Every structure is written in C-alpha cells, then in structure tokens.
Amino acid sequence: MQERKNTAEFLERVQAHQDIIHKVCFVFGRVPADRDDLAQEVLLQLWRSYPAFDERAAFSTWMYRVALNTAITFRRKLKTHAEDAPEPWVDGAQLACAELSDDLKTLYLAIGRLSAVEKAIIMQWLDERSYENIADTVGISVKNVSVRLVRIRKRLAQLIMEAKQK
Amino acid sequence: MNDIDLERYKAAWKSENHFGRQALSADEMNRILERESKTITRQFRTSLLMDIVLKGIAAVTLVGLLFLFRGNSTVGLMNAVVLSFTLFLLFVQWKTLQDVPRPTLATESLHFCLREMIRFYRERFLRALYVAAVSGSLVFYIGVLYYSWFKYSGIRPLDVDDYVVFIGGLLLAFAINAIAQRWQAAFHMKELEYCLQEIDAESLSRQQLREQRFRRIKASLMWAVWAMLGMLVLAYLIAR
C-alpha cells in the first residue's frame, strides 16, 4: 500500500517536470531510438534513486542532475554515434518535431554542435538555473561556471548565426 | 549583441510547450519502471553472472574429463591445470561481481560520475573482459577433448598440424571474444575521458592526461600478456 502511494507520488512529481527529461533526451540523443532508450533509462534511474532523494534540493534540480549524468554516461549503440545522423527535426520519423518554432529549431541545431559538457551547462543556463546549481551538477566551481558560460554563450551565438545563414 | 539574441532564444526555450504535448502518461511511465536498466554497470553485472555460470559448467565438465582421461597421465595433468585455472578465474569473476560499484548518478556531480565510470572501466571492466574471453578458449578445449573421447575413446596420435589447429583454435576463441568487447568498451571509454578532460581542462595538465592514458594502456597490456601466457602454458602442456 505504502509502495503504491510512493509510486503514485513519484509519477506525479516526475510528470510535473517531465519536460526536463524530454529536453535532455532531445539534446543528447541523435536518433529517435536513442532518445527513447535514454528517456527510459533516465526514468529508471530516477525511480531507483527516489528513495534516497532527501528534499534538500528542489525536485527539478535533482531531476536535472540525474538526467544529465545519465545522458552523458549512458553507453549508446555505436551506430547512433554516426556524425551524419539526421538532425531531430528533419527526421521523418519524428513528425511531431515539425511543431517546433523556428527559433527553437535554430537553437537546437546550434546546441547540437556543442560538446556534451557545454550542452549540460548551457541547458541549465537556458532554464535559468543558478550558477551554484550548475556548479553543483557539473562538479566545477561557481567562478568556473561563470567563465565557461561567457565562452559557451559566445560560441552558441556564433552557431545560431551560422544556422540561420544555412 | 550576442546576449540580446540569446535572451530571445532563451525565452523561446522557456516558453516552448512542445514537449508538454509529448508527455508520457502515468501508465506509460509505470510500464517503463518495470523494464531493465541498460546502464553499463547493470549490463556488466549480468554478463559477469553469465560468465560465472558458464565457467561453473566448464569446471563441472572438466571434472568429467579428469575422470574420462584418468588413464592418460599427460592429459590428466593438463586437465587438472585447466581446472585449477578455471576455478581461479571463477573466483576472480566472483570477487569482481561483489565489487561492482553502485550507481551514483542521482547523488553526485557529473565530474564525479565520469571519474567513477572511467575508474570502473579501467579497474574492473577490462580485467573482467579478458577473464570472460578465456571462456571461449575453455569451451573450445573441452569440446575438442570430449569429441576426441567419443570419437577415438582417447587421444589419437597427433602430428604438427593438429597442434597448430588446436592452439590456433584456443587463441582465436580468446581473441574474438576479447577484441569485439574491447572495441565497444574503448569507444565509450574514450567518450567519457573526453568529457572528463573537458571539465578538468583548466585544472589538469597535459602531462597528467598522458599519464592517465599510459596507465590505461599498461593495464590492458598486462592483462593481455597474462592471458597469452596462460594460453602458452596450456599449449606447452598439450605439446609435451
């Protein structure tokens, strides 16, 4: 009975913030199958770790940590690493992506060109997480986050410009 | 200029509700929670268990061979050595299984998780991989001896070609197993190391990175050399 209550409570909390899972999987997975695998793995990791979640951080911050750690350390199938894998929104199997606004398509295209660590940092900045949160999630100092964000933002702006010119 | 542009994209990112429309229902989530995790540590644990079972079966069949070839002292000695070696490898795999690290994805930083994952690969995964690859040679060895027993009721007189085929088979069975898995692991390990290097970029010198790579290569070579030595000892016993 208690377990069922916990499950219901967990699902309710995850559902309230599940855009975090979708965004992380969309940014880190290059093909639909890869993204589905990743989403499932993130959810499983959240569920397994939930009993140890001590409410010291916000639930969404905790979800971000699990999702990013899982996305970056998850071993993918070798074929999904192919550099010529299609961008998500031009993949015919992902029709729903056609609904993305032009700005978001450009943004995702630019983020897709960043390294895994840069992606992890910029995503949290876009979601207006504090520098302390970002530092804690990535494992670097707050000062380092600030320095890196200047660099990553500059690069992202450059990549957005390039994407728009295409 | 860059900042102004980015603020616009940031607003688009924040206000986009596309993913809200793709949301999973509670039922779909429940179904996912019943599935098996595909993390590398989980897969590693499963493959270790499978290898322990396989080596256990090999040990039992080797006892059978000891009994069947009890009249042939050379083959008997060889079987005893192989059985001892198998039991030792079983123990190694069992110890490794006890030490599989618990996932820390939910409690630690990305930096910590990457470091732990790389350490896991270097200290446990590669060793277990070479030990598991020996199972291929064991199956080949046992298969040949049982075939020989049922076909000739013992070992028929052997010439040089037979030894070459036998030793080649043992080495090939090991190499095929080891190389295929090593290739997969190396790819993932390189990715993880690249991420860790990027996070550490400002605090870790190139010298340290070179040392890290050197240690990894040294550990891999050591295990490969030990495995090859084991094979050579076995080959020597066969040819004696």
Side-chain angles (χ1 to χ4, degrees), chain B:
Chain B
M1 178 66 184
N2 284 348
D3 283 344
I4 295 166
D5 276 341
L6 285 184
E7 288 303 324
R8 192 181 107 201
Y9 289 99
K10 193 185 204 180
W13 172 277
K14 291 279 289 177
S15 62
E16 180 59 46
N17 65 353
H18 164 74
F19 292 116
R21 293 194 293 276
Q22 282 192 329
L24 292 167
S25 68
D27 279 349
E28 285 170 316
M29 284 194 194
N30 249 325
R31 274 198 294 277
I32 290 173
L33 298 186
E34 284 163 13
R35 292 179 195 163
E36 282 289 307
S37 169
K38 290 180 186 168
T39 53
I40 183 65
T41 44
R42 178 86 189 178
Q43 289 177 342
F44 178 65
R45 189 180 275 276
T46 309
S47 65
L48 265 180
L49 273 170
M50 283 170 64
D51 190 52
I52 287 170
V53 170
L54 185 61
K55 284 199 168 65
I57 294 169
V60 172
T61 50
L62 278 165
V63 172
L65 281 176
L66 270 177
F67 176 76
L68 290 177
F69 287 93
R70 62 188 180 281
N72 186 327
S73 61
T74 307
V75 179
L77 175 68
M78 207 165 71
N79 286 338
V81 170
V82 174
L83 178 61
S84 308
F85 187 52
T86 306
L87 292 174
F88 169 71
L89 295 183
L90 250 175
F91 174 73
V92 170
Q93 294 295 65
W94 179 254
K95 280 290 291 173
T96 310
L97 185 67
Q98 304 301 311
D99 293 338
V100 174
R102 297 271 158 220
T104 50
L105 299 172
T107 51
E108 300 294 344
S109 67
L110 177 60
H111 183 268
F112 183 90
C113 291
L114 286 168
R115 221 179 44 212
E116 285 302 294
M117 192 74 91
I118 292 167
R119 185 182 298 167
F120 154 75
Y121 262 121
R122 282 188 198 141
E123 294 176 3
R124 296 186 176 89
F125 189 91
L126 291 178
R127 184 181 65 188
L129 185 150
Y130 291 122
V131 172
V134 175
S135 294
S137 304
L138 271 177
V139 170
F140 181 79
Y141 173 84
I142 292 164
V144 167
L145 283 192
Y146 269 103
Y147 173 80
S148 190
W149 174 260
F150 286 113
K151 179 97 175 174
Y152 307 107
S153 301
I155 303 284
R156 67 169 174 80
L158 302 174
D159 54 29
V160 178
D161 288 351
D162 294 317
Y163 287 121
V164 170
V165 169
F166 187 58
I167 294 165
L170 288 175
L171 293 176
L172 204 64
F174 172 79
I176 287 171
N177 262 318
I179 290 169
Q181 290 188 58
R182 179 75 174 85
W183 187 63
Q184 278 268 351
F187 193 86
H188 191 218
M189 204 153 70
K190 210 169 112 190
E191 274 196 334
L192 297 175
E193 281 176 342
Y194 181 79
C195 285
L196 187 63
Q197 284 170 20
E198 199 188 334
I199 293 178
D200 282 337
E202 272 140 60
S203 57
L204 206 64
S205 70
R206 283 184 182 178
Q207 179 60 29
Q208 283 172 296
L209 295 176
R210 264 201 301 272
E211 281 171 10
Q212 271 185 8
R213 197 170 300 124
F214 177 72
R215 274 200 298 273
R216 194 189 78 220
I217 293 168
K218 199 173 126 190
S220 303
L221 279 174
M222 282 289 286
W223 275 100
V225 166
W226 276 113
M228 293 298 276
L229 275 176
M231 295 289 179
L232 287 174
V233 169
L234 192 61
Y236 169 75
L237 285 168
I238 295 164
R240 205 161 68 104

